[in-house]
Amino acid sequence: MHTWIPLLALAFLVGCAQVPSRPAPESTGTTLGEVSQGFEPPPEPSRADIPATQPEAAGQDEKPPRVLTIKLDTQQFIYSVNGKTFKTGPISSGTTGYPTPTGKFAVLGKEKYKVSSRYTNQLGMQAWMPYAIQFHGPYFLHEGWLPGYPDSHGCVRLGEKDARFLFEQMQLGDPIEVID
């Protein structure tokens, strides 16, 4: 019997790891701090695209302009601007053995060309996690394979267009809520 068969089977079971649809970027050796220093915030959605806000009653806390909600039960995200749903889409969250943490979090960091320091892909290379948004410890939202069910090691995978959109729109400190 071939000894490489169990290794190949194990490679297919790796959570966030996947074979990317395009080649992984070359490592630049920069840290997140170095990347963030040169980062210019993307333009906000145009005023025509964003619903008008209602004046807040006196004494109420102002709601944050951008909020991302991750719904684990329906495997979808909801991106809201000024309290109105602006965009929704599919996700793939953590499996039973590697659950995505639930709770109220915030955008801690962003890295456009993130490479996992923990997981490898089927080729044994560090897993590529483009458009990564860190929201809690080692947990990120990032572009990845969407099989239609929870399939990662706890990260929240998004389709390429949705990952790029959220990466461009979300800012450091913006709230992210992960709910069952």
Side-chain angles (χ1 to χ4, degrees), residues 9 18 28 43 110 146:
Q18 62 181 329
T28 60
K110 295 167 58 171
L146 298 176

Side-chain angles (χ1 to χ4, degrees), residues 6-20:
L7 292 175
L8 184 60
L10 179 63
F12 284 106
L13 296 176
V14 174
C16 283
Q18 62 181 329
V19 176

